[in-house]
Amino acid sequence: MIPLSLRLHNFMSYGEGTPALDFSRFTTACLTGDNGHGKSTLLDAITWALWGETRAKSLDDVVRLGQDEAEVEFIFDLENERYRVLRKRSLKTRQSALELQGFDQATQRYRPLSGASIRETEAKIVQLLHMNYDTFINSVFVLQGRADEFTTRRPGERKRILADILGLSIYDTLEARARAHRNEMDQDVKTLLQRLAELQQEVARKEELAAAVSTHQDALAHLQVELQNSQQALEQLRQRQNTLELQSQRAHDVARRLQQVQHEGLEVDQQLTAHQRRMADYEAILQQESTILAGYQALQQLREQERVYSAQAEEYTTLQQRQTALQQVITTAQYRLELEQRSACQRQQELEQKIQMSETFLQNAPRIAAAYSALQEARQRDTAMAQTLQERYRLEQEKSQVEFRMQQKRHTLELEQRSLLDRQRDWQLKEAALPTLQRQTEDIQQQLVEVEQQTKRLEQIRTDGVAIRVQLETSIPQARETVQKEIHEQEEKRDLLASAGAHCPLCEKTLTEQERRRVIQKLMQEVARREARMQELQQEQQQLLTQRQKLRLEYRQVEQQAAQRQGLEQQYATAQASLAEATRARDSLVSVLQALQELDTRLTAGTYATEELARLRELSMALESLTYDKEAHEAVQRTLITLVDAEVQQSRLQQVETEFATLNCQCQEVVQQLANLEQTLQSRQFAMVERLELHTVTERFERLGFSPAAHHALRQRLQEQQYVERQYMQLEAAQTHLTEERTALQQLEARKQRVTTDLVTLEHEQRQYASELGALQGIRHEVARTEEQVRLLREREGMARVALGRSQSQYEHCLQQEIELQRKQQQRDQAVTERTLYGDLVQMFGKNGIQAIMIENAIPELEDEANRILARVTHNAMHLTLETQRDTRTGGVAETLDIKISDELGTRNYELFSGGEAFRINFAVRVSLAKMLARRAGARLRTLVIDEGFGTQDTEGLERLVEVIKAIQGDFAKIIVITHLRELKNSFETHIEVKKDPVRGSFYQIL
């Protein structure tokens, strides 16, 4: 990664309008400025944009004070590709935003590469750089005050950082994938074994199922023959039944037709009778024609008179209804006044009665006042006595609580005493077992030492195995391929020289016969030498195979012995814990005995609840000082019960006194109201409008002159003459329908003759069919019996078919399972092979496989580079050693990455060196790590940043550090040194000077 541009907007101490920092203007630069002006903030902006990490304690601290949003844009080149990272933080929404963009050379624009979330985008950046923030600050980025970030880490963390720098994470991924595949294969093998067991059980029933199929086939054939015979017999019976049923249906049809003809004959007779009767009626009416016509003319004259009377009756009815309505209104008004009069009289009586009752009640006022005064006095005495009783209850309750607390404390002390006694017995037993536990611990520790040696040998075997595998699969095949290629080339050259007058393959010179033979002989010697090399490689390969086989055998043996390590470690930890517990028990036994003695003393002397005892005495004295007479209190309560009505009487008295004056006023008002109502009724001064209208309606009655009696007599005459209209209508009907009735009568007589003929014919057919249907019922019973027999046979056949189908299905399934068994056996063998292969890959890609070999190969390079830099900055006064293994307490060897420093005084720990010496050591290690990262990680990070730390160096030390920085310029595209020391600043040609303005914030300029 090579930085190109950095733009900050309201980021920490930088405000708005800050121009972008152009990294293309320098290769090596010194970033200077006073403390607190914002030098390290520029580097925080880079780490925040890429990984979201800064020195700030929270995300919101990156936003400049007084602003709402911070933004950083960082542009860099990576392997000839350009990228831009844009990160924002808003205080309003409390949210962040991150964008990753790649520059498109074709469109000359940036295209988005971000993920669906900030987390995914950060993961893409880490994948792009092949580096996370932790690796960055431990290698090429020397943070202010954290130059010892790598050297002060634990050995395991240093080894992890070195693995990240070497790009070994790919092997972790491969190991995880191989382990996942191996686990999948383990699960597949288990599943296949279970399935194989199931299939073997099912295939074992193959012969049994074949015999069942044969048995069911024979039974089905027998049932089919029996069913066919029964079906033939049933078919013959059904044909005979169908013939008889057809005749029976015809007989039913004849009977139905006979019934219909008989019914039709009855209908014809009835219709003949009706027509004859109507013809007689019509002829009688025609004989009275003149009389009927005269009566009908008189009826019409009466109807005209009734119409005139009806018009007068309608007006008469209207006037009569209005007269009745007006009389009702007048009567209602009079009734309302009379009702008010009666109500007022009743109200007067009620008020006089209430006044009389109030006067009677007011005569008892002195007696009620005396009773009420006695009630108040009794209540005061009852309240005082109740307070005294309540105080007594409170004191007694508190006394009970104090006594309970005293019992509880004594019970707690007794429980503690029993617990201490139990602990004493346990610790005495543990103290007695102390020598035995010591011997067990020593024995287990000795066994662990032996297992540790076996584990060390196991790791060595694994390492040797990986190395042999690499040689067998990579080195030797490549060497054999190279030698084979060389042999082929030599043989081609020899073929070119096979004929006389051949040319030299190198200089194209024509060779003499002697030269040609000499060259051919030399080529043959080369071929023979390379063939010998091929045989050596073959022998070496065979030796490696033999050696690998021996290592595998030894590995299995050692692995079985080393497998006991976990159990021994658990036993050792258990024994150590038991031993420590027994030691603590021995040391604590004296204190337990002393605590038991103190508890006995407190329980015997009763000094465990002094405060409660004092409070108990106070409560007893307070109870004795209270004077309470229960009999006097009960007498007061009885007095209260006797005088309980006095308060109600007193309240009633006050109410009656208030109401008495009001009742007198209301009584006078009612008397006046009665006088007014009496005058209105006597003078009839009510409903005056209705009285005038009633007088007008009466005058209209007199002018109309309508007689309801005459109208009623006319209507009775009309009612009596209604038969004339009926006779007239019958006369018209007789004149109209007499001819029709005569024609219909003739038709009915002809129809009666036809019905009589049909009736004779149908009775003859019915007698014929009755003689042929005697055997039908027996045929029906025989058909039903045969159908039941066929149904049972079909059910048995269906059950036999189902059983046969089930047996055939089971047998076919068994055959398929037999094929499946063979296929699953092949899958099992293949899965076992793949599981073994993936297990070998897990070991090869693991920490103790290829990764360990690559770290071992990288350690000398890192150590040499660090010593070269350390020699230059210390004038060959210090030497650094990286150790990857160390002895354990148990006598074994453990993997590590320790840093040993040697000087003229000998080898010392890193912590014993002074600040200036420690910085030189840190500087040498960090620069060597940065150079390794630039070379080994695909040139992904070719930038070195050193932030402060130079203040611990003297003048000579600064000069040497500057020399080293200048010497390594060719290994990095950008080197930035941050300092405020003027001596160091003058050693660089390019300066980035940072200043701070109180208003606009921090800003910089390149000098």
Side-chain angles (χ1 to χ4, degrees), residues 169-209:
S169 59
I170 182 64
Y171 293 106
D172 292 334
T173 303
L174 293 174
E175 180 192 9
R177 291 172 59 184
R179 181 175 284 106
H181 283 298
R182 185 190 63 185
N183 294 338
E184 290 178 2
M185 291 298 104
D186 286 339
Q187 187 63 34
D188 290 346
V189 170
K190 293 179 182 178
T191 304
L192 288 170
L193 290 176
Q194 294 176 356
R195 182 58 181 160
L196 284 173
E198 296 172 358
L199 292 173
Q200 288 172 354
Q201 291 179 358
E202 294 181 3
V203 171
R205 300 179 59 233
K206 178 179 177 182
E207 298 298 331
E208 176 186 351
L209 294 174

Coordinates of all heavy atoms in Angstrom, one line a residue, residues 169-209:
S169 N -2.1 -16.8 7.4 CA -3.5 -17.0 7.7 C -4.2 -17.9 6.7 O -5.2 -18.5 6.9 CB -4.2 -15.6 7.8 OG -4.0 -15.0 6.6
I170 N -3.6 -17.9 5.5 CA -4.2 -18.8 4.4 C -4.1 -20.2 4.9 O -5.0 -21.0 4.6 CB -3.4 -18.6 3.1 CG1 -4.0 -19.4 2.0 CG2 -1.9 -18.9 3.2 CD1 -5.5 -19.0 1.7
Y171 N -3.1 -20.6 5.6 CA -3.0 -22.0 6.1 C -4.0 -22.2 7.2 O -4.4 -23.4 7.3 CB -1.5 -22.3 6.5 CG -0.5 -22.2 5.4 CD1 0.4 -21.2 5.3 CD2 -0.5 -23.3 4.5 CE1 1.3 -21.1 4.2 CE2 0.4 -23.2 3.4 CZ 1.3 -22.2 3.3 OH 2.2 -22.1 2.3
D172 N -4.2 -21.2 8.0 CA -5.3 -21.4 9.0 C -6.6 -21.6 8.3 O -7.4 -22.5 8.8 CB -5.4 -20.1 9.9 CG -4.2 -20.0 10.8 OD1 -3.5 -21.0 11.1 OD2 -3.9 -18.8 11.1
T173 N -6.9 -20.9 7.2 CA -8.1 -21.1 6.5 C -8.1 -22.5 5.9 O -9.2 -23.2 6.0 CB -8.2 -20.0 5.4 OG1 -8.2 -18.7 6.0 CG2 -9.6 -20.2 4.6
L174 N -7.0 -22.9 5.3 CA -6.9 -24.2 4.7 C -7.1 -25.3 5.8 O -7.8 -26.3 5.6 CB -5.6 -24.4 4.0 CG -5.4 -23.6 2.7 CD1 -4.0 -23.7 2.2 CD2 -6.5 -23.9 1.7
E175 N -6.5 -25.1 7.0 CA -6.6 -26.0 8.1 C -8.1 -26.1 8.5 O -8.6 -27.2 8.7 CB -5.8 -25.6 9.3 CG -5.9 -26.6 10.4 CD -5.3 -26.1 11.7 OE1 -4.9 -24.9 11.7 OE2 -5.1 -26.8 12.7
A176 N -8.7 -25.0 8.7 CA -10.2 -25.0 9.1 C -11.0 -25.7 8.0 O -11.9 -26.5 8.4 CB -10.6 -23.5 9.3
R177 N -10.7 -25.4 6.8 CA -11.5 -26.1 5.7 C -11.3 -27.6 5.7 O -12.2 -28.4 5.6 CB -11.2 -25.5 4.4 CG -11.7 -24.1 4.2 CD -11.1 -23.4 2.9 NE -11.5 -24.2 1.7 CZ -11.1 -23.9 0.5 NH1 -10.3 -22.8 0.3 NH2 -11.6 -24.6 -0.5
A178 N -10.0 -28.0 5.9 CA -9.6 -29.4 6.0 C -10.3 -30.1 7.2 O -10.8 -31.2 7.1 CB -8.1 -29.6 6.0
R179 N -10.3 -29.4 8.3 CA -10.9 -29.9 9.5 C -12.4 -30.0 9.3 O -13.0 -31.0 9.8 CB -10.6 -29.0 10.7 CG -11.2 -29.6 12.0 CD -10.8 -28.8 13.2 NE -9.4 -29.1 13.6 CZ -8.4 -28.3 13.4 NH1 -8.6 -27.1 12.8 NH2 -7.1 -28.6 13.8
A180 N -13.0 -29.0 8.7 CA -14.4 -29.1 8.4 C -14.8 -30.3 7.5 O -15.7 -31.0 7.8 CB -14.9 -27.8 7.8
H181 N -13.9 -30.4 6.5 CA -14.2 -31.6 5.6 C -14.0 -32.9 6.3 O -14.7 -33.9 6.1 CB -13.2 -31.5 4.4 CG -13.6 -30.5 3.4 ND1 -14.8 -30.6 2.7 CD2 -13.0 -29.4 2.9 CE1 -14.9 -29.6 1.8 NE2 -13.9 -28.8 2.0
R182 N -13.0 -32.9 7.2 CA -12.7 -34.2 8.0 C -13.9 -34.5 8.9 O -14.3 -35.6 9.0 CB -11.4 -34.0 8.8 CG -11.1 -35.3 9.5 CD -9.9 -35.1 10.5 NE -10.4 -34.2 11.5 CZ -9.5 -33.7 12.5 NH1 -8.3 -34.1 12.5 NH2 -10.0 -32.9 13.4
N183 N -14.4 -33.4 9.5 CA -15.6 -33.6 10.4 C -16.8 -34.1 9.6 O -17.6 -34.9 10.0 CB -15.9 -32.3 11.2 CG -14.8 -32.0 12.1 OD1 -14.0 -32.8 12.6 ND2 -14.7 -30.7 12.5
E184 N -16.9 -33.5 8.4 CA -18.0 -33.9 7.5 C -17.8 -35.4 7.1 O -18.8 -36.2 7.1 CB -18.1 -33.1 6.3 CG -18.5 -31.6 6.5 CD -18.5 -30.8 5.3 OE1 -18.2 -31.4 4.2 OE2 -18.8 -29.6 5.3
M185 N -16.6 -35.8 6.8 CA -16.3 -37.2 6.5 C -16.6 -38.1 7.7 O -17.1 -39.2 7.5 CB -14.9 -37.3 6.0 CG -14.6 -36.7 4.7 SD -15.6 -37.4 3.3 CE -16.8 -36.1 3.1
D186 N -16.2 -37.6 8.9 CA -16.5 -38.4 10.1 C -18.0 -38.6 10.2 O -18.5 -39.8 10.5 CB -16.0 -37.7 11.4 CG -14.5 -37.8 11.5 OD1 -13.9 -38.7 10.8 OD2 -13.9 -37.0 12.2
Q187 N -18.8 -37.6 10.1 CA -20.2 -37.7 10.2 C -20.8 -38.6 9.1 O -21.7 -39.4 9.3 CB -20.9 -36.3 10.1 CG -22.4 -36.3 10.4 CD -22.7 -36.8 11.8 OE1 -21.9 -36.5 12.7 NE2 -23.8 -37.5 11.9
D188 N -20.2 -38.4 7.9 CA -20.7 -39.3 6.7 C -20.4 -40.7 7.0 O -21.2 -41.6 6.7 CB -20.0 -38.8 5.4 CG -20.5 -37.5 5.0 OD1 -21.5 -37.0 5.5 OD2 -19.8 -36.9 4.1
V189 N -19.2 -41.0 7.6 CA -18.8 -42.4 7.9 C -19.8 -43.0 8.9 O -20.3 -44.1 8.8 CB -17.4 -42.5 8.3 CG1 -17.1 -43.9 8.9 CG2 -16.4 -42.2 7.2
K190 N -20.1 -42.2 10.0 CA -21.0 -42.7 11.0 C -22.4 -42.9 10.4 O -23.0 -44.0 10.6 CB -21.1 -41.7 12.1 CG -19.9 -41.5 12.9 CD -20.0 -40.5 14.0 CE -18.8 -40.3 14.8 NZ -18.9 -39.2 15.8
T191 N -22.8 -42.0 9.6 CA -24.1 -42.1 8.9 C -24.2 -43.4 8.0 O -25.1 -44.2 8.0 CB -24.5 -40.9 8.1 OG1 -24.4 -39.7 9.0 CG2 -25.9 -41.0 7.5
L192 N -23.1 -43.5 7.3 CA -23.0 -44.7 6.3 C -23.0 -46.0 7.1 O -23.6 -47.0 6.7 CB -21.8 -44.5 5.4 CG -21.9 -43.4 4.4 CD1 -20.5 -43.2 3.7 CD2 -22.9 -43.8 3.3
L193 N -22.2 -46.0 8.2 CA -22.2 -47.3 9.0 C -23.6 -47.6 9.6 O -24.0 -48.8 9.6 CB -21.2 -47.1 10.1 CG -19.7 -47.1 9.7 CD1 -18.8 -46.8 10.9 CD2 -19.3 -48.4 9.0
Q194 N -24.3 -46.6 10.0 CA -25.6 -46.9 10.5 C -26.5 -47.3 9.4 O -27.3 -48.3 9.6 CB -26.2 -45.6 11.2 CG -25.5 -45.1 12.4 CD -26.0 -43.8 12.9 OE1 -26.9 -43.2 12.3 NE2 -25.5 -43.4 14.1
R195 N -26.4 -46.7 8.3 CA -27.2 -47.1 7.1 C -26.9 -48.5 6.6 O -27.8 -49.3 6.3 CB -27.1 -46.1 6.0 CG -27.9 -46.4 4.8 CD -29.4 -46.4 5.1 NE -30.2 -46.7 4.0 CZ -31.5 -47.1 4.0 NH1 -32.0 -47.4 5.2 NH2 -32.2 -47.3 2.9
L196 N -25.6 -48.8 6.7 CA -25.2 -50.2 6.2 C -25.7 -51.2 7.2 O -26.2 -52.3 6.7 CB -23.6 -50.3 6.2 CG -22.9 -49.6 5.1 CD1 -21.4 -49.6 5.3 CD2 -23.3 -50.3 3.7
A197 N -25.8 -51.0 8.5 CA -26.3 -51.9 9.4 C -27.8 -52.1 9.1 O -28.3 -53.3 9.2 CB -26.1 -51.5 10.9
E198 N -28.5 -51.0 8.9 CA -30.0 -51.1 8.5 C -30.2 -51.9 7.2 O -31.1 -52.8 7.2 CB -30.6 -49.8 8.4 CG -30.5 -49.0 9.7 CD -31.0 -47.5 9.5 OE1 -31.3 -47.2 8.3 OE2 -31.1 -46.7 10.5
L199 N -29.3 -51.6 6.2 CA -29.5 -52.3 4.9 C -29.2 -53.8 5.1 O -29.9 -54.7 4.4 CB -28.6 -51.7 3.9 CG -29.0 -50.3 3.5 CD1 -27.9 -49.7 2.6 CD2 -30.3 -50.3 2.7
Q200 N -28.2 -54.2 5.8 CA -27.9 -55.6 6.0 C -29.0 -56.4 6.7 O -29.3 -57.5 6.3 CB -26.6 -55.7 6.8 CG -25.3 -55.3 6.1 CD -24.1 -55.2 6.9 OE1 -24.2 -55.3 8.1 NE2 -22.9 -54.9 6.3
Q201 N -29.7 -55.7 7.7 CA -30.8 -56.4 8.3 C -31.9 -56.6 7.3 O -32.6 -57.6 7.3 CB -31.3 -55.5 9.5 CG -30.3 -55.5 10.6 CD -30.9 -54.6 11.7 OE1 -31.9 -54.0 11.6 NE2 -30.1 -54.5 12.8
E202 N -32.2 -55.6 6.4 CA -33.3 -55.7 5.4 C -32.9 -56.8 4.3 O -33.8 -57.5 3.9 CB -33.5 -54.4 4.8 CG -34.1 -53.3 5.8 CD -34.4 -52.0 5.1 OE1 -34.2 -51.9 3.9 OE2 -34.8 -51.1 5.8
V203 N -31.7 -56.8 3.9 CA -31.3 -57.7 2.8 C -31.3 -59.2 3.3 O -31.6 -60.1 2.6 CB -29.9 -57.4 2.3 CG1 -29.3 -58.4 1.4 CG2 -29.9 -56.0 1.6
A204 N -31.1 -59.4 4.6 CA -31.1 -60.7 5.2 C -32.5 -61.4 5.1 O -32.6 -62.6 5.1 CB -30.7 -60.7 6.7
R205 N -33.6 -60.6 4.8 CA -34.9 -61.2 4.7 C -35.3 -61.5 3.2 O -36.5 -61.7 2.9 CB -36.0 -60.2 5.3 CG -35.8 -59.9 6.7 CD -36.8 -58.9 7.2 NE -38.1 -59.4 7.1 CZ -39.1 -58.7 6.4 NH1 -38.9 -57.6 5.9 NH2 -40.3 -59.3 6.3
K206 N -34.4 -61.5 2.3 CA -34.6 -61.7 0.9 C -35.3 -63.0 0.6 O -36.4 -63.1 -0.1 CB -33.3 -61.6 0.1 CG -33.5 -61.8 -1.4 CD -32.1 -61.6 -2.1 CE -32.3 -61.9 -3.6 NZ -30.9 -61.8 -4.3
E207 N -34.8 -64.2 1.1 CA -35.3 -65.5 0.8 C -36.7 -65.6 1.5 O -37.7 -66.2 0.8 CB -34.4 -66.6 1.4 CG -33.0 -66.6 0.8 CD -33.1 -66.9 -0.7 OE1 -34.1 -67.6 -1.1 OE2 -32.2 -66.5 -1.5
E208 N -36.9 -65.1 2.7 CA -38.2 -65.2 3.3 C -39.3 -64.4 2.5 O -40.4 -64.9 2.3 CB -38.1 -64.5 4.7 CG -39.4 -64.5 5.5 CD -39.2 -63.7 6.8 OE1 -38.1 -63.4 7.1 OE2 -40.3 -63.4 7.4
L209 N -38.9 -63.3 2.0 CA -39.9 -62.5 1.2 C -40.2 -63.2 -0.1 O -41.3 -63.1 -0.6 CB -39.3 -61.1 0.9 CG -39.1 -60.2 2.2 CD1 -38.4 -58.9 1.8 CD2 -40.5 -59.9 2.8

